[in-house]
Amino acid sequence: MVPMLKIRMEEIKLFSQYIHDISGIYLDENKRRFLETRLHAIAEEQGCASYQELYQKSKTDGAKVIERKIIDAISTHETLFFRDSDPFDLLRHKILPELIDARAPNKRAPALKAKLRIWSAACSTGQELYSVAIMLHDLLKDLSRYSIRLLGTDISDAAIAQASSGKFNKFEIERGLSRDKLTKHFTPSGPTWKISDQIRSMVTFHKFNLMQPFTGLGKFDLILCRNVAIYFTLEDRKKLFNKIADILAPDGYLLIGLTESLTGICPRFIPKLHLGSIFYQLPPPRPAGP
C-alpha cells in the first residue's frame, strides 16, 4: 500500500482557497485529514510528489479534468430517498397540495396546462428530487394536465451522471425507500434498480455552481437547498439566499436543512412553522398605492 501523501500547512491554505474559488466550499485549517483523504488518490494518479504539484497541474490543465476530479472528491454526496421524514411530511401534507391547488388548470381555458417548477439546488445523486417526483406522481390524478419542471443541479460531474442514469445500487435503494415505492417506481437492472421512465421523464439534471449568477434559471415555486450552505462562508450564504429570493415565486416555498437557519443571513425570507418543520416564504407583496 502506498503511504498517504502528507499535506503541509501552506498546501492546506493553498487548496482551501483554490477549492473555495472553484466550488464555494470553505475548508478551514483543521481539514488536514479531510484533504489528505480526498486528494491523495488524485495526486497519486497524476504522479505528484506533493500537493503543491497537484495544485499546479490542476491550474494549468486547460481541459479542467483534474479540477473536476477535485470537485468530485471534496463534494459530500450524503443523501437518501425521502431524507428526514419531517420535511417530506411537510411537502406531502401542506406545500405540494397548496402549490397544486394554486397552480391548478384553469377551467376557463382547459387546454392550458398548469405550470409547476421545482429546483433541488444541491441534488447530489438525485434521490431528493426523485423523491419529490414520486410524491407528485402519487398526488396528481392526471400528470398530462400539468407542465412540470423538476430541475436538479450539483457541482459534481459524477453526482450528476448517476442522477441522470436513474440507477441505484442495493444500499442506496434501501436507504429511505419503502418496499411499496420500490416495487411501484423501480425495476431491477442487473445489480442495480432503475427508476421508472415516467418518473425519470419528470426530472432534468444539470451541473451548476451555486456561486455563479442565476441568469436563465427562471422562477421556481419550490426550492430545496438543504445541507449545502453549511459548507459556505457567512458572506457566501448571504449571497446565495439573496439570489434564491430573486428567483422564488412570490407565493413559493424554500426548504433548507433541519440544522440550518436564515436568521441573520437573509431577512427577505419569513420563517413559518407547520407540522413541526420550518419553511420559508417571501413576504406578501405590498398593495399598490392610490
Side-chain angles (χ1 to χ4, degrees):
M1 180 181 294
V2 179
M4 185 170 293
L5 188 64
K6 298 298 181 183
I7 191 168
R8 303 190 303 272
M9 181 57 70
E10 59 267 26
E11 292 173 326
I12 295 176
K13 294 178 180 178
L14 190 67
F15 263 99
S16 293
Q17 184 60 54
Y18 180 52
I19 288 169
H20 178 265
D21 290 344
I22 63 176
S23 70
I25 296 172
Y26 172 71
L27 301 172
D28 60 29
E29 295 178 359
N30 297 319
K31 295 295 185 178
R32 174 190 296 272
R33 184 63 180 173
F34 175 87
L35 285 169
E36 287 179 345
T37 302
R38 299 297 179 94
L39 300 181
H40 170 72
I42 304 174
E44 183 180 354
E45 176 190 79
Q46 297 297 321
C48 298
S50 68
Y51 290 100
Q52 171 79 36
E53 185 180 353
L54 176 63
Y55 168 79
Q56 293 297 341
K57 281 194 173 186
S58 184
K59 290 285 287 184
T60 57
D61 176 16
K64 297 188 179 296
V65 173
I66 301 175
E67 179 180 300
R68 291 196 293 270
K69 289 178 181 290
I70 290 172
I71 290 175
D72 287 341
I74 57 92
S75 299
T76 300
H77 302 309
E78 174 59 25
T79 186
L80 61 152
F81 289 98
F82 299 94
R83 181 180 183 183
D84 304 322
S85 60
D86 288 349
F88 278 95
D89 286 341
L90 183 64
L91 284 169
R92 181 181 295 106
H93 298 296
K94 179 177 175 63
I95 293 178
L96 291 180
E98 288 188 357
L99 283 175
I100 290 169
D101 287 345
R103 308 294 188 266
N106 190 335
K107 292 182 179 179
R108 295 181 180 178
L112 295 177
K113 292 186 177 183
K115 293 183 178 180
L116 189 59
R117 301 291 185 257
I118 297 173
W119 179 28
S120 174
C123 68
S124 187
T125 46
Q127 286 92 319
E128 177 178 81
L129 196 59
Y130 282 129
S131 298
V132 174
I134 288 171
M135 291 181 69
L136 279 173
H137 179 275
D138 293 344
L139 283 169
L140 296 173
K141 301 298 184 184
D142 184 3
L143 287 172
S144 67
R145 300 173 65 207
Y146 291 82
S147 171
I148 299 175
R149 181 194 181 200
L150 303 184
L151 173 65
T153 65
D154 199 272
I155 197 170
S156 167
D157 285 288
I160 290 298
Q162 180 179 341
S164 298
S165 75
K167 293 181 179 180
F168 300 92
N169 62 35
K170 184 175 183 291
F171 174 74
E172 292 163 335
I173 282 293
E174 290 177 347
R175 300 188 72 202
L177 200 63
S178 65
R179 174 56 57 175
D180 64 311
K181 284 186 172 59
L182 173 62
T183 56
K184 183 177 181 181
H185 298 294
F186 291 80
T187 55
S189 177
T192 64
W193 288 80
K194 188 176 186 301
I195 201 155
S196 70
D197 291 341
Q198 190 171 30
I199 298 297
R200 178 63 189 87
S201 66
M202 295 171 65
V203 305
T204 303
F205 295 99
H206 294 299
K207 181 179 179 179
F208 186 72
N209 187 337
L210 294 175
M211 294 297 101
Q212 300 298 318
F214 286 5
T215 307
L217 284 179
K219 291 280 186 179
F220 292 93
D221 305 300
L222 167 63
I223 297 176
L224 300 101
C225 188
R226 304 199 301 151
N227 308 307
V228 62
I230 54 176
Y231 301 105
F232 297 164
T233 64
L234 177 59
E235 191 59 34
D236 285 339
R237 284 182 225 172
K238 290 179 179 180
K239 292 177 182 177
L240 170 63
F241 286 107
N242 270 291
K243 290 190 296 184
I244 286 176
D246 289 338
I247 64 169
L248 187 68
D251 60 344
Y253 298 81
L254 168 66
L255 288 182
I256 62 176
L258 293 178
T259 62
E260 299 176 277
S261 170
L262 295 187
T263 302
I265 293 176
C266 189
R268 295 170 65 183
F269 283 106
I270 299 174
K272 297 183 179 181
L273 182 68
H274 185 78
L275 294 176
S277 293
I278 293 176
F279 62 95
Y280 292 85
Q281 288 190 293
L282 299 171
R286 295 178 180 177

